[in-house]
Amino acid sequence: QVQLVESGGGLVQPGGSLRLSCAASGIIFRLYAMDWYRQAPGKQREFIAGISSRGSTNYADFMKDRFTISRDNAKNTVYLQMNSLKAEDTAVYYCRANPGGYWGQGTQVTVSS
C-alpha cells in the first residue's frame, strides 16, 4: 500500500521559513518523481515544484527562488524548503508521487502575523 505522509506545516510569520517533508512508503522511492502542490481556500490546486528520480528539479514561475525541493532516497523523503514566506503562501501543501499519481493527505501552512 502506497502511503505519502506530509509534515512540517504550521503557523509562521511573514518573512519566515518552513521545511516540509513527505515520507513515502510502499513504493521504490528512488524510481519515482516527486512533486509538491498547494491548494489555497477557494482556489485550484497548483504545482509548486518537482524533482525527478535522478534529481532534476523544476519550479513554478511564481516561486521566484523562494522555495527549494530536494530528496533523500535513503530516507524515502522529499523536502520543500520555503523561505521568505508571504501571506499568499497560506495553503494546504501536498506531495505527489509519479508514476501512479499518488497523493498525500496534505499539511497546512499558515503565514500570518
Side-chain angles (χ1 to χ4, degrees):
Q1 180 181 359
V2 178
Q3 192 171 15
L4 302 176
V5 180
E6 300 96 335
S7 62
L11 174 64
V12 62
Q13 292 187 342
S17 297
L18 282 175
R19 188 176 80 155
L20 305 183
S21 300
C22 171
S25 59
I27 58 173
I28 304 174
F29 181 77
R30 60 181 173 83
L31 299 181
Y32 279 70
M34 300 296 297
D35 301 320
W36 283 99
Y37 283 73
R38 70 184 184 185
Q39 187 166 19
K43 295 187 177 181
Q44 289 188 333
R45 192 170 298 189
E46 62 180 354
F47 171 81
I48 300 170
I51 185 165
S52 74
S53 59
R54 296 187 176 187
S56 298
T57 59
N58 65 300
Y59 296 91
D61 290 341
F62 66 84
M63 285 297 99
K64 295 183 180 180
D65 298 324
R66 296 189 298 122
F67 292 7
T68 303
I69 189 171
S70 62
R71 64 190 298 157
D72 185 337
N73 289 342
K75 295 182 178 180
N76 288 358
T77 301
V78 61
Y79 303 99
L80 185 68
Q81 176 67 43
M82 306 188 295
N83 299 325
S84 303
L85 285 163
K86 307 173 183 179
E88 51 263 42
D89 294 318
T90 295
V92 179
Y93 285 70
Y94 299 90
C95 65
R96 185 179 75 165
N98 280 307
Y102 303 106
W103 291 93
Q105 83 291 345
T107 186
Q108 176 70 48
V109 171
T110 302
V111 184
S112 176
S113 55

